[in-house]
Amino acid sequence: MLLLYLTSALFLGWSLGANDAANVFGTAVATRMVKFGTAALISGIFVVLGAVVSGAGASATLGELGAVNALGGSFMVALAAGLTVLWMTRAGLPVSVTQAIVGGIVGWNLFTGSQTDAGSLATIVSTWVACPILAAALAGLMFVGLRWFLARREVHILERDSLTRIGLLLVGAFGAYALGANNIANVVGVFVPAVPAGSVRLLGAVSFSHAQILFLIGGLAIAAGVYTYSKRVMMTVGKDLFRLTPVAGLIVVAAHSIVLFLFASEGLRDWLVSRRLPAIPLVPVSSSQAVIGAIVGIAIAKGGRNIKLGVLGRVAGGWVATPVAAGLLSFFGLFFLQNVFTLTVQQPIPYEITKPARARLVAQGASEEALSPLVGQRFANARAFKAAVRRAEGLGDADVRLFLDAAEIRRYVIDPAKIPRLDLDLLTPGQVAAIRSLTWRTYTHRWQLRDALVAASDHWAFLPDTRRNYAHNKNLETKLRYVQAAFRVYEIGPGQ
């Protein structure tokens, strides 16, 4: 059954390969410096490597936007995004798969009454503006610098062509790796919360989490899309918008690859934070927007006279239409799946101010009088609960986030049968021992399980929230989400 649901992710991965992956080698192929077959082979290999090795960071951010928690819902969100991207691909438009999947998730949130995390949505949307601007700035600077260098050093045209071809292959491989690391979240990220946590050990040596196996499957689907359907978009990127020289094509791919890497590297993010520098959010940014921005940056550096504004406007129109179309397809598709095929498209997440939740909120400053009208009521979803909090006298928008965290109902049972299946490469022996000490304990809220683990062992202790401790706390949050997924129980099993 899981494989059947994953068909929509495979379709979306194929769409991404056919559209976004073309950006990596589009300029190289269009300028005839690299053959299409060579470009497709290198893209396929490095996209898969990037997805499996470094795909987790951006995937976590996408999960914060909206945790699609049933396989039927994940299937429809991915299918809506894939159909939208296919529609744009057939029109020859290099659109953003990121925008398509974000539109699909917001459609799921609206249909199920789930909360759309405004902070995560704002972060993702801000990259839709920052990504092409950053790529344009990088490409413009590199183009001016390279032109200055070549003007002061005579390089034979054959030598220049040879060096450019080698450069295109190297930065293309880097770009494909960055694309896999950054955009794999778009392909299978919505399935990660819906698939039970665990790990698989191969040959007794290498351990893969279920998320990494999903990333591998998604990476292979992207590679298939590159091979079978990417050539037309490559020509749009490399020729139609602005005619590029081979050297300019090299700069475009390099700027595009750097931008994708910046938004996917957990190591770089942690390094910046540890040195008190601004952190770069780990967000699945648009490969298409990065490459279009880089092309425009070079065009501006060359005077901006030959930019085909009509093509640029058509591409920008596709970027606006993509999330809207994917959101509508997702919303109505979910209605169809639920009411015609009676498939489960969400696991209900009710909200209730239980006794422990009430005590927690009072300890955090909420008044007993303001809480009274809400106690004893169960709300079907986040939308209904938020509306009740806003109606309550003495409460307002500032209280909503606090109340949502405290009242969300998610049941956990520390089942000893699940402990041997935990990923021991992720958790330390001390952390596993703490989990064992809680055997058969049950919890109603996420924060209860977290507090129990912290109380059971110093190995689960969070440090003061400072930049120095950022990496430690971030790593512990990742482990905590893994444990919560492993021991969560559903009244109806996921995807049933």
Side-chain angles (χ1 to χ4, degrees), residues 8 12 75-85 100 104 325-331:
S8 65
L12 179 59
F75 169 83
M76 192 61 239
V77 169
L79 181 63
L83 288 173
T84 304
V85 174
L328 291 173
L329 270 177
S330 174
F331 186 91

Side-chain angles (χ1 to χ4, degrees), residues 88 126 156 386 487:
M88 297 297 173
S126 68
H156 191 278
K386 284 168 67 175
F487 292 99

Side-chain angles (χ1 to χ4, degrees), residues 135 137-147 250-252 254-256 258:
L138 279 173
L141 289 172
M142 284 193 285
F143 181 78
V144 171
L146 188 59
R147 186 168 59 182
L250 171 64
I251 292 173
V252 166
H256 151 274
I258 291 171

Side-chain angles (χ1 to χ4, degrees), residues 351-390:
Y351 288 76
E352 181 180 351
I353 298 184
T354 59
K355 284 185 178 179
R358 182 175 186 168
R360 180 181 178 85
L361 287 169
V362 170
Q364 291 175 329
S367 73
E368 293 274 8
E369 185 179 355
L371 286 171
S372 295
L374 301 172
V375 174
Q377 297 188 60
R378 174 163 288 214
F379 301 88
N381 53 45
R383 184 164 53 205
F385 182 66
K386 284 168 67 175
V389 171
R390 285 175 173 143

Side-chain angles (χ1 to χ4, degrees), residues 8 25 40 52 81 183 199 223 248 252 357 380 388 432 485:
S8 65
F25 278 104
V52 175
N183 272 222
S199 62
V252 166
V432 174

Side-chain angles (χ1 to χ4, degrees), residues 17-50:
N19 194 299
D20 279 36
N23 298 324
V24 176
F25 278 104
T27 51
V29 172
T31 55
R32 301 181 185 279
M33 294 297 288
V34 177
K35 293 181 179 177
F36 173 75
T38 304
L41 177 63
I42 294 174
S43 288
I45 292 172
F46 282 91
V47 158
V48 172
L49 284 175

